[in-house]
Amino acid sequence: MNFNRRDFLKGLGLASTAWMLPRQLSAQSAPPHVIVIGGGFGGATVAKYLKLWGGNINVTLIDRNAQHYACILSNLVVTGALSMSRITLDYGTLKSKRGVNVIQGEALEVDPANRRVNVLVNGQYSAYPYDKLVLAPGIEFIPPDGNYREDLTPHAWKAGPQTLLLKQMLSSMSSKQTFVMTIPKSPYRCPPGPYERACAVADVLKRRKTGCKVVVLDANPSIQAEPHNFGIAFNDTYKGMLTYIPNAGVLSVDSKTKTVTTAAGKFTGHVLNVIPNQRAGQIVTAAGLANDPTGRWSLVNPLSYASPIHPDIHILGDSQATGQPKSGHMANAQAKVCADAIIRSFRGEAPDPNPVTSSACFSPITSSKASWLTASFQYDPGTKSMKRVEASFAEASSATSDGMQQMFQWADNIFADSFK
Ligand SMILES: Cc1cc2nc3c(=O)[nH]c(=O)nc-3n(C[C@H](O)[C@H](O)[C@H](O)COP(=O)(O)OP(=O)(O)OC[C@H]3O[C@@H](n4cnc5c(N)ncnc54)[C@H](O)[C@@H]3O)c2cc1C
């Protein structure tokens, strides 16, 4: 007879505490069930690798959308260089090749005591039981004060309809008009992304219109990523048309008049691209898991991405607060660490004690040249945190056309590794 840990506790009369222990795989037991909320780079990858590495595990991936619109490359959709189809990723292969059960629905509430998540699917409320839950819902915005409306002053910081709205506003600009954009306070999704957008927008205006201006209002004291390449772009490539203003945190927005009031003054644009401050996805906050000192992001154990509050709930990708950058590449790397830790836990094993993660971001600086940024992180047992490996931290010495080619190859690889 196979006598497992749960049976042992039951025998001791401790069955009521059994829910606190990880469910372990055995030949007799039904396969454990992992539910993943959010089918972006973090969620799709963890679902795929749980099936690929875990064997007999049921995996259900729940996303509110039928397909995922990648933010990666989305600035090139804003400029019209790429179409939406280039950044639209479907779940077909995860279903057919990997055996992931994919459900389109809105996760509303987590019930950790009963290990259930409540989901709205086709207008019906359903409770999905789980042995392990992975939350990878990305980000939520903290709306600025004033009369802020994202339909009038789009963020385009979650790809999809917002990307197309900003594209349409940019393409309808006339000569001598001004594009104003705001950069949120760090940490936010994709550290180089806003500076990349400033360059992409300046490039298309420079080539297609006459006398247009770009004003970049940064809540931070300096450029947050790739300062060398963005510095050259702002001070040289787009000299005279792009104005970069640091320490310009947003105080309020009037979307109707396209006016933003900042710590550095008041600015009005023909197009106003407000990228608001950010926090963990709403389902994380609602579950009481946004527990870092700012109350915006989720503290987790970086060996497994498990929450210290509810160890059967794992949080990864942009929502977590391990100090690693909020990037798609990083979400993909964290998802593999998390999948491995969940599988080990079902086998009664401890997580890998020495995980390594990495991230890359490519940034088009002009329509033909891109720069890049890389960083790797390694677990430091002394501080129980992920520490940046200094030798891995680098930005391109200059933006090049080779960089542009590598950007598309890298994006195709990360799309395939996460969704195929
Ligand atoms: C302009 C731009 C450029 C970028 N460029 C790069 C780059 O070059 N390299 C890079 O690595 N990263 C880049 N990024 C960052 C990258 O897109 C994000 O860091 C990444 O998407 C985070 O992955 P995630 O899984 O945490 O969240 P997401 O990919 O946003 O996925 C979250 C998913 O959860 C779903 N969801 C949320 N809440 C619920 C709910 N309650 N119920 C059901 N579903 C829900 C959403 O629909 C979404 O599909 C860029 C971002 C931007 C904006």
Side-chain angles (χ1 to χ4, degrees):
M1 187 175 125
N2 187 340
F3 200 67
N4 66 24
R5 195 172 177 187
R6 189 174 291 218
D7 295 329
F8 175 69
L9 287 167
K10 212 169 163 185
L12 289 177
L14 294 175
S16 61
T17 60
W19 63 270
M20 296 163 68
L21 297 169
R23 170 128 173 245
Q24 295 182 14
L25 288 175
S26 75
Q28 282 76 25
S29 57
H33 189 194
V34 182
I35 294 191
V36 181
I37 304 298
F41 285 93
T45 306
V46 79
K48 169 180 166 178
Y49 279 89
L50 280 165
K51 292 300 290 183
L52 200 59
W53 293 339
N56 198 22
I57 298 176
N58 283 334
V59 180
T60 299
L61 175 65
I62 299 173
D63 198 287
R64 58 167 68 105
N65 297 317
Q67 65 279 306
H68 183 71
Y69 300 109
C71 286
I72 294 171
L73 302 182
S74 67
N75 282 330
L76 295 180
V77 178
V78 170
T79 63
L82 298 179
S83 66
M84 272 307 275
S85 62
R86 184 69 174 80
I87 59 165
T88 304
L89 303 167
D90 69 60
Y91 300 116
T93 309
L94 288 182
K95 281 194 252 189
S96 61
K97 189 166 166 194
R98 306 296 174 196
V100 176
N101 177 30
V102 180
I103 291 173
Q104 187 180 358
E106 178 77 25
L108 299 173
E109 191 191 15
V110 180
D111 176 0
N114 294 302
R115 284 208 190 124
R116 277 199 295 250
V117 54
N118 298 322
V119 185
L120 187 62
V121 182
N122 290 329
Q124 304 276 338
Y125 294 95
S126 303
Y128 287 81
Y130 63 80
D131 293 298
K132 294 276 187 191
L133 176 67
V134 180
L135 298 177
I139 53 162
E140 218 48 75
F141 297 111
I142 302 171
D145 286 345
N147 305 309
Y148 167 71
R149 280 178 49 182
E150 64 177 39
D151 59 328
L152 298 176
T153 50
H155 49 76
W157 218 244
K158 286 185 188 179
Q162 277 275 308
T163 312
L164 294 176
L165 181 61
L166 189 61
K167 174 192 172 178
Q168 178 259 313
M169 288 181 175
L170 177 64
S171 70
S172 60
M173 279 177 70
S174 308
S175 294
K176 298 195 174 153
Q177 291 192 332
T178 303
F179 183 101
V180 176
M181 65 176 286
T182 71
I183 301 179
K185 193 94 184 137
S186 278
Y188 57 82
R189 163 174 283 180
C190 194
Y195 309 99
E196 168 191 316
R197 173 164 297 164
C199 291
V201 165
D203 173 74
V204 80
L205 291 175
K206 190 177 171 183
R207 285 185 292 113
R208 300 220 182 116
K209 320 268 161 154
T210 315
C212 283
K213 302 273 185 210
V214 177
V215 176
V216 183
L217 301 165
D218 194 342
N220 302 289
S222 59
I223 295 173
Q224 296 297 290
E226 297 176 57
H228 169 68
N229 284 306
F230 290 122
I232 292 172
F234 291 179
N235 296 320
D236 185 5
T237 316
Y238 301 114
K239 189 176 177 182
M241 75 172 295
L242 187 150
T243 308
Y244 172 72
I245 304 175
N247 296 310
V250 171
L251 302 177
S252 69
V253 172
D254 184 350
S255 294
K256 281 197 177 148
T257 60
K258 298 193 192 323
T259 301
V260 57
T261 305
T262 74
K266 200 181 242 198
F267 301 84
T268 301
H270 296 92
V271 175
L272 176 57
N273 173 204
V274 175
I275 306 172
N277 287 326
Q278 294 158 28
R279 60 187 307 153
Q282 172 56 21
I283 189 80
V284 170
T285 308
L289 297 171
N291 60 338
D292 81 334
T294 69
R296 287 161 60 191
W297 311 103
S298 201
L299 292 172
V300 292
N301 175 357
L303 293 179
S304 60
Y305 293 87
S307 164
I309 302 174
H310 299 296
D312 287 326
I313 302 179
H314 301 246
I315 303 114
L316 53 85
D318 285 357
S319 285
Q320 53 70 44
T322 58
Q324 299 170 98
K326 299 183 187 305
S327 78
H329 195 137
M330 180 51 80
N332 168 285
Q334 292 173 353
K336 291 174 191 169
V337 174
C338 177
D340 179 57
I342 289 175
I343 293 163
R344 286 174 188 241
S345 128
F346 286 143
R347 292 179 182 149
E349 297 168 9
D352 175 359
N354 193 20
V356 176
T357 56
S358 57
S359 180
C361 283
F362 280 84
S363 297
I365 302 282
T366 68
S367 57
S368 59
K369 292 184 177 176
S371 68
W372 51 258
L373 169 72
T374 62
S376 294
F377 290 76
Q378 186 158 28
Y379 186 70
D380 172 26
T383 57
K384 295 188 165 59
S385 65
M386 297 301 283
K387 279 262 153 46
R388 195 168 72 194
V389 180
E390 287 313 316
S392 73
F393 185 54
E395 69 171 293
S397 55
S398 63
T400 61
S401 44
D402 276 357
M404 199 73 164
Q405 294 305 317
Q406 288 161 7
M407 177 179 76
F408 290 118
Q409 287 161 2
W410 164 85
D412 284 338
N413 284 340
I414 205 84
F415 289 178
D417 191 45
S418 304
F419 287 83
K420 299 290 174 207

